[in-house]
Amino acid sequence: MSLQRAATRFTGHTDAGIERDRETIWKAVEPWLPLAAQRLSEAARSPSQQMHWRQMISAVRRPRAPCLARPDFVLLISAARRLLRALMEAERPGPSVSDIADRVRHAIHNGTYPSGSLLGASRIVAEIGAPTVERVDLALQDLQREGLITISPSKRVRVAGSALPEDHPQQIAAWLRFLIQSGVYPPQGALPRVQPLAQSLVSSTPDVSLALHLLADQLVLLVGRGRRTTVHPAPPFPVAIPPDLDDLVRELNRRALPGVRLTGTDLQAVCSQARSWWSSRTMPPPDKADELFGVLVTAGARLTSQAVRHQHERLRDHDARTTLRQTAITALAKRPSDRWEQIWRAACLGVLVREIYQRGVTSRDGTESQLRDPSVALAPSRSA
């Protein structure tokens, strides 16, 4: 009430009057300062909460020397009101700021809040039982200091993405080895050059180059300066003959989701989403990841089926056949148990599906234009 009366009486006509109004605010606030100092000491485990209390106390404290600048009256009364609200909020029962941070930290570490997921303060209030959004905001600031979350300028809170696995070159090498074993890249066959290969594997060129040299050390590949990387004539493991595209199409159609119909825009969005999850290290909920992968498999089945049905004997372009085989093998391969590798595999499949859709397989009868037509390319196939 004293704050309200001081604000009501404030006129600002004279320096003496303004000084009297400041004195009124300081006298009203002084009894609160010991309690605010106690709250500051209780916040030892929360750097953000400590800073919060220090700033509020400093904003309302009387200058220690008359020569120091006097605060603006409007700013002073606003700071006093903020301190009063903070003291009242601190009296509310419920977990403290540090307790909230502990619970969110634990949820991040055990995967309840996966990497890349969005976190809203209201969600945490509901799930953790925090008494106010203010406490959650301070807890999130502490977690941001630790690098566990990021807070954008628009206040969007996201669990920090995982760093790229240190063994990613080994993952790339293992996947290329599988593609070679599956007949996508047969012995003495050439692999794409490093840059396009890196694009298809949604990986950096240094990681892909390292993977190629790892395979060269294992006598799987022949890598030489200034020449295309090729598969060794006699790799140290059995290699299947290049699989028949008709057989791959039949198996893909068995795996396709029934009744799925996408526009070209939908397909582009699905492929972009798969790539974005991997590039941003965003771990989506398992059901969302499974759904997206199923749609990519279905789109790959439709597009590959269209390519084979319209081209068939004319499908003589080596790169086109390789892309179709790689798409099918990627879609049909057993999904890895590691969730990050699942996201990477989906991103690779999305790149391949988009390539088939955007480029098509050129023929004299206009197949490319049909593959570009979403109503033809993505409609459920008759053999599905």
Side-chain angles (χ1 to χ4, degrees), residues 130-191:
T132 61
V133 173
E134 288 79 8
R135 291 190 201 182
V136 173
D137 287 340
L138 290 170
L140 293 177
Q141 291 175 34
D142 286 335
L143 296 175
Q144 184 182 38
R145 289 168 179 263
E146 299 172 21
L148 291 177
I149 65 170
T150 59
I151 304 176
S152 72
S154 61
K155 306 302 181 184
R156 286 169 63 88
V157 180
R158 188 183 296 275
V159 179
S162 297
L164 187 66
E166 292 183 2
D167 63 346
H168 189 53
Q170 285 82 359
Q171 289 179 337
I172 296 171
W175 180 241
L176 288 174
R177 185 184 179 106
F178 175 78
L179 294 176
I180 293 168
Q181 287 177 300
S182 302
V184 173
Y185 299 117
Q188 301 186 68
L191 270 66

Side-chain angles (χ1 to χ4, degrees), residues 146-357:
E146 299 172 21
L148 291 177
I149 65 170
T150 59
I151 304 176
S152 72
S154 61
K155 306 302 181 184
R156 286 169 63 88
V157 180
R158 188 183 296 275
V159 179
S162 297
L164 187 66
E166 292 183 2
D167 63 346
H168 189 53
Q170 285 82 359
Q171 289 179 337
I172 296 171
W175 180 241
L176 288 174
R177 185 184 179 106
F178 175 78
L179 294 176
I180 293 168
Q181 287 177 300
S182 302
V184 173
Y185 299 117
Q188 301 186 68
L191 270 66
R193 298 192 183 278
V194 174
Q195 187 170 356
L197 183 61
Q199 291 173 349
S200 71
L201 296 172
V202 201
S203 302
S204 68
T205 52
D207 280 348
V208 172
S209 295
L210 180 55
L212 296 178
H213 283 88
L214 290 173
L215 291 174
D217 293 340
Q218 300 168 15
L219 301 181
V220 176
L221 297 176
L222 298 175
V223 178
R225 185 182 297 274
R227 70 174 186 178
R228 291 281 292 272
T229 297
T230 59
V231 179
H232 195 284
F237 47 73
V239 177
I241 62 172
D244 182 77
L245 286 172
D246 288 315
D247 292 340
L248 291 175
V249 164
R250 281 191 289 271
E251 183 59 30
L252 278 173
N253 283 328
R254 281 194 288 269
R255 303 282 186 90
L257 301 175
V260 172
R261 191 181 189 94
L262 299 172
T263 65
T265 301
D266 293 335
L267 175 64
Q268 299 277 12
V270 170
C271 295
S272 295
Q273 180 66 83
R275 184 187 183 96
S276 175
W277 280 344
W278 170 247
S279 299
S280 64
R281 303 298 178 266
T282 298
M283 180 63 71
D287 58 334
K288 294 293 185 185
D290 292 343
E291 179 184 0
L292 180 137
F293 193 81
V295 172
L296 286 174
V297 170
T298 304
R302 304 291 181 253
L303 291 168
T304 305
S305 178
Q306 291 285 336
V308 172
R309 186 161 65 242
H310 287 286
Q311 295 270 128
H312 204 56
E313 295 300 330
R314 296 195 186 97
L315 234 136
R316 303 184 185 281
D317 182 84
H318 174 268
D319 290 339
R321 293 196 308 274
T322 299
T323 298
L324 292 173
R325 287 193 178 103
Q326 185 173 346
T327 302
I329 293 298
T330 304
L332 297 173
K334 181 180 178 181
R335 295 187 70 189
S337 57
D338 181 78
R339 290 193 64 199
W340 281 118
E341 193 164 355
Q342 290 178 15
I343 300 303
W344 176 52
R345 192 82 60 80
C348 294
L349 181 57
V351 170
L352 293 166
V353 168
R354 173 178 279 175
E355 181 179 350
I356 298 173
Y357 176 72

Side-chain angles (χ1 to χ4, degrees), residues 306-312 314 361-371:
Q306 291 285 336
V308 172
R309 186 161 65 242
H310 287 286
Q311 295 270 128
H312 204 56
R314 296 195 186 97
V361 183
T362 305
S363 73
R364 296 179 182 178
D365 60 4
T367 301
E368 184 174 10
S369 63
Q370 288 183 312
L371 285 173

